[in-house]
Amino acid sequence: VQGGPRGEREQGRAFQGALLCAGRRHFAAGQGSCAQDERAIGRAVAKFSIIIPVYNVEKYLSYCLDSVRAQTYADLEVICVDDGSTDRSSRIVELHAAADPRIRMVSKSNGGVSSAKNAGIREATGDYVLCVDADDALVPEACERLVRAFQESDADVVTFGANCVPSCDGYPWLVDCLSPRDAVYDGFDWKILL
């Protein structure tokens, strides 16, 4: 990352996961683990709001929610936005919410994935917002790594790659798009979206 008020440069490596959205700059998150207490983080523990758009994803949703519930970083809320599902997706969210008080559901009429993410963001109370698709799964240390990346880089936005599971489901274009890579960005440039 290059940018920020002082123009400093930070650089890191991407890892498996989804997109974290927050502001103007981008930082590729590092591979290292981070302790969750105030001594290791250097300030009060930050809270994550994980937004999961839900629309007819009963086949994948439990696996996704299990991966979120298994995060080694405990201070998080999970907002599942039911975007008018007609399958059993909302019931699956209710079952997970009954088992884990960090999970709650917001229901709305169908408006598409961006509309669902925006509804979840409006409900978010965390310091960081992490958008996870219902057919994705996070590695257990994902939120820990993200906190470390934010604090070491002072970035406003952290993006990172993903891996196809099973790997045989990937094809060259998809693997290339998702592949973790080192990146340095200087301010906003539309090319970072490619």
Side-chain angles (χ1 to χ4, degrees), residues 37 89 95 121 139 162 172 184-185 187:
D37 60 74
S89 295
L95 291 171
I121 290 169
V139 295
V184 175
Y185 301 110

Side-chain angles (χ1 to χ4, degrees), residues 135-149:
D135 62 350
D136 292 342
L138 296 175
V139 295
E141 311 82 21
C143 290
E144 275 191 67
R145 292 176 181 179
L146 289 167
V147 167
R148 172 69 55 88

Side-chain angles (χ1 to χ4, degrees), residues 5-141:
R6 295 175 304 281
E8 60 270 4
R9 295 178 68 94
E10 296 94 18
Q11 185 173 7
R13 299 188 59 156
F15 66 96
Q16 180 178 1
L19 172 67
L20 185 71
C21 23
R24 295 176 306 280
R25 290 174 281 150
H26 287 67
F27 178 75
Q31 294 281 355
S33 176
C34 72
Q36 194 174 312
D37 60 74
E38 289 185 33
R39 290 181 311 274
I41 293 176
R43 64 182 176 111
V45 176
K47 181 177 181 181
F48 267 94
S49 294
I50 299 177
I51 312 299
I52 304 174
V54 175
Y55 180 75
N56 293 347
V57 288
E58 66 182 13
K59 181 177 176 182
Y60 312 104
L61 188 55
S62 280
Y63 185 69
C64 174
L65 288 170
D66 286 342
S67 78
V68 170
R69 291 175 60 199
Q71 289 300 297
T72 56
Y73 192 88
D75 196 7
L76 53 88
E77 68 178 344
V78 183
I79 303 167
C80 296
V81 181
D82 182 5
D83 194 33
S85 294
T86 58
D87 66 358
R88 297 179 306 195
S89 295
S90 62
R91 180 68 182 135
I92 292 168
V93 173
E94 290 170 356
L95 291 171
H96 281 270
D100 190 331
R102 301 174 299 173
I103 299 173
R104 63 187 168 104
M105 183 167 55
V106 172
S107 297
K108 60 179 279 315
S109 59
N110 183 259
V113 68
S114 294
S115 172
K117 287 179 181 178
N118 288 333
I121 290 169
R122 282 190 296 275
E123 296 287 324
T125 63
D127 302 299
Y128 304 119
V129 175
L130 173 60
C131 297
V132 177
D133 289 336
D135 62 350
D136 292 342
L138 296 175
V139 295
E141 311 82 21

